[in-house]
Amino acid sequence: MSLSVAIVGGLHADARRATVARLLTEVPGSVVLHHDLATAAAGTVVRTIRDATGIRSAGETPLVNDCACCALREDLVPELRRLAADGTTRLAVVELWDSVEPKAMAEVVAAGGLTVTGVITAVDPALVLPYLGNGDDLAERGLAAAATDQRTVADTFARQLEYAPVLAVTDSPEADDEDRELLAQLHPTARQVPVRDAPSQASAIAPTRPQALHNTSPSVFPPTPLARAALAGFDVEAAAAAQHPACALLPAEADAHGVCTLVWHRERPFHPERLYEALEDLTCAAARSRGRFWLADRPDTLLHWDAAGGALCVEGVGPWLASLPDGAWDMVPPVRRAAAALDWHPEHGDRCQHLVFTSPGLDRDGLERLLESCLLTDAEYAAGRDAWKRLPPAFDTLLEV
């Protein structure tokens, strides 16, 4: 029997635990592997493996380079391989610690020759906006995965949410229509699976004997929506491509229950100085904003916009395809070429502004006016590229040039 690996993560710890408990009761022959990084300050990471009846084994692994996440990477694949070799485990659920991001772990598992069949982020809809608006450093909350971890609660939660194709959504009595709509607009392509509290261990499904598990097939037990999500299959390469700024699957326009998503798409470049002066207002205009953009003085650099919790990350992520020689296009992934073709402009190629802002109470008109004011004027645009490159290099410090 081949081992399936499902990854369940998320900063919403109660929602994550409820999701994992459901999988244990709904998928015969499943176990949960968890690395507790809360003990990292003491120099170790605690690993537990449990099934529906309780803990099977527990152990410690030392830190690697003072990094709890590095220790997790070193220990995870060998443990999964041991489970696979045992032959009695059908599904290994990797329950990630709070701030661990599923993308990194899915890639580690796949690189180890194991099969990732599902990636699920567990969410309490009532907590989406509070977490998305929380600009605290993870270290301030005791959630850092390494001494050098500079992530915030907001940007970590956003990546956890947007990477997973499945969201396990708890039945939260505090959540209202606005909360649920915000979740839907932030990740409109995700499959949402409702999760209610798992039955107590006393009433849980009795564990199946190892001999019987060896012959377990998907048709033997009633496949619940959550079980199907954990076993459906997952393409690690496609998921990575969908997150790359050059071809990310960004949300579409939406407006419902007080939540709005603005998709702003233009071909004309930004004036670097005017955009820089507007960064604070643009960052605070929405709970979440992301996308790609270009500056007039940097016509060959594709820039990534990533904002949450009142903080903005701007970084160069390589060249626009239009700036590459023809011979280099063969080395570009097909998904990147396809995304470029959708935005292709006769003069600028794939260079474009494609920014998406999602928030309750979004001031669409004001936001659009501010964005438009940051573009080159007609006169500046007509001056041409040589003149653009002489504009004040306002982003040099931000981009550490």
Side-chain angles (χ1 to χ4, degrees):
M1 179 174 61
S2 62
L3 178 70
S4 296
V5 180
I7 294 172
V8 178
L11 276 164
H12 297 172
D14 289 344
R16 189 184 69 239
R17 293 183 191 112
T19 300
V20 169
R22 291 265 23 145
L23 283 170
L24 279 178
T25 60
E26 293 176 1
V27 182
S30 61
V31 301
V32 174
L33 194 155
H34 177 62
H35 288 80
D36 188 344
L37 275 54
T39 59
T44 60
V45 172
V46 176
R47 176 211 327 115
T48 57
I49 298 177
R50 68 186 192 276
D51 57 22
T53 64
I55 294 177
R56 277 191 182 183
S57 66
E60 293 184 349
T61 184
L63 290 193
V64 177
N65 300 322
D66 291 326
C67 171
C69 254
C70 300
L72 192 164
R73 291 188 184 97
E74 292 289 325
D75 192 65
L76 179 60
V77 169
E79 286 300 320
L80 289 172
R81 284 178 175 160
R82 275 191 279 275
L83 288 171
D86 181 67
T88 62
T89 301
R90 176 154 193 271
L91 174 67
V93 180
V94 177
E95 181 192 352
L96 301 180
W97 189 69
D98 300 48
S99 68
V100 178
E101 297 185 25
K103 180 178 185 294
M105 290 305 109
E107 291 172 355
V108 164
V109 173
L114 295 146
T115 303
V116 180
T117 57
V119 174
I120 301 167
T121 293
V123 182
D124 180 339
L127 297 178
V128 172
L129 186 58
Y131 274 65
L132 205 57
N134 189 332
D136 291 350
D137 291 338
L138 291 175
E140 296 174 20
R141 294 301 188 94
L143 296 172
T148 56
D149 196 339
Q150 297 182 328
R151 295 174 297 156
T152 68
V153 171
D155 63 38
T156 302
F157 174 67
R159 283 190 294 271
Q160 289 177 336
L161 183 72
E162 293 156 10
Y163 178 77
V166 176
L167 302 179
V169 183
T170 57
D171 188 14
S172 173
E174 291 82 16
D176 57 20
D177 288 342
E178 181 181 281
D179 296 324
R180 287 182 279 270
E181 181 63 27
L182 176 60
L183 182 59
Q185 290 190 28
L186 287 168
H187 196 350
T189 62
R191 178 185 172 198
Q192 291 193 22
V193 177
V195 174
R196 292 172 178 82
D197 290 338
S200 65
Q201 287 194 358
S203 62
I205 299 170
T208 311
R209 290 190 316 251
Q211 182 116 19
L213 284 175
H214 192 72
N215 299 317
T216 300
S217 67
S219 61
V220 169
F221 64 95
T224 65
L226 186 60
R228 284 198 297 268
L231 297 164
F234 183 78
D235 188 327
V236 172
E237 290 185 6
Q243 296 298 305
H244 191 283
C247 44
L249 297 175
L250 299 173
E253 288 268 347
D255 190 353
H257 298 294
V259 182
C260 182
T261 293
L262 168 67
V263 178
W264 191 76
H265 199 285
R266 299 290 186 276
E267 282 80 31
R268 186 172 293 198
F270 279 124
H271 186 287
E273 195 169 46
R274 288 200 296 274
L275 178 62
Y276 189 84
E277 291 172 352
L279 286 182
E280 183 175 354
D281 289 338
L282 291 171
T283 301
C284 296
R288 176 73 171 134
S289 56
R290 49 190 149 146
R292 53 190 177 270
F293 68 103
W294 68 304
L295 296 170
D297 65 326
R298 297 170 176 270
D300 295 336
T301 304
L302 192 161
L303 294 164
H304 181 211
W305 178 288
D306 188 30
L312 170 68
C313 175
V314 169
E315 60 180 344
V317 289
W320 294 99
L321 291 194
S323 68
L324 295 176
D326 291 345
W329 279 53
D330 290 339
M331 296 182 287
V332 176
V335 65
R336 172 79 189 275
R337 296 198 298 269
L342 292 174
D343 285 331
W344 201 261
H345 182 274
E347 183 180 355
H348 306 311
D350 58 327
R351 299 178 183 91
C352 69
Q353 320 294 2
H354 188 174
L355 298 175
V356 177
F357 299 79
T358 299
S359 189
L362 190 73
D363 179 7
R364 289 179 58 103
D365 294 341
L367 180 54
E368 287 193 272
R369 284 194 299 270
L370 181 57
L371 287 164
E372 298 287 347
S373 73
C374 297
L375 295 173
L376 295 185
T377 64
D378 289 346
E380 290 165 342
Y381 183 76
R385 292 196 181 187
D386 289 341
W388 299 353
K389 291 182 179 181
R390 294 192 295 271
L391 291 170
F395 278 74
D396 279 6
T397 302
L398 191 61
L399 295 169
E400 297 179 350
V401 173

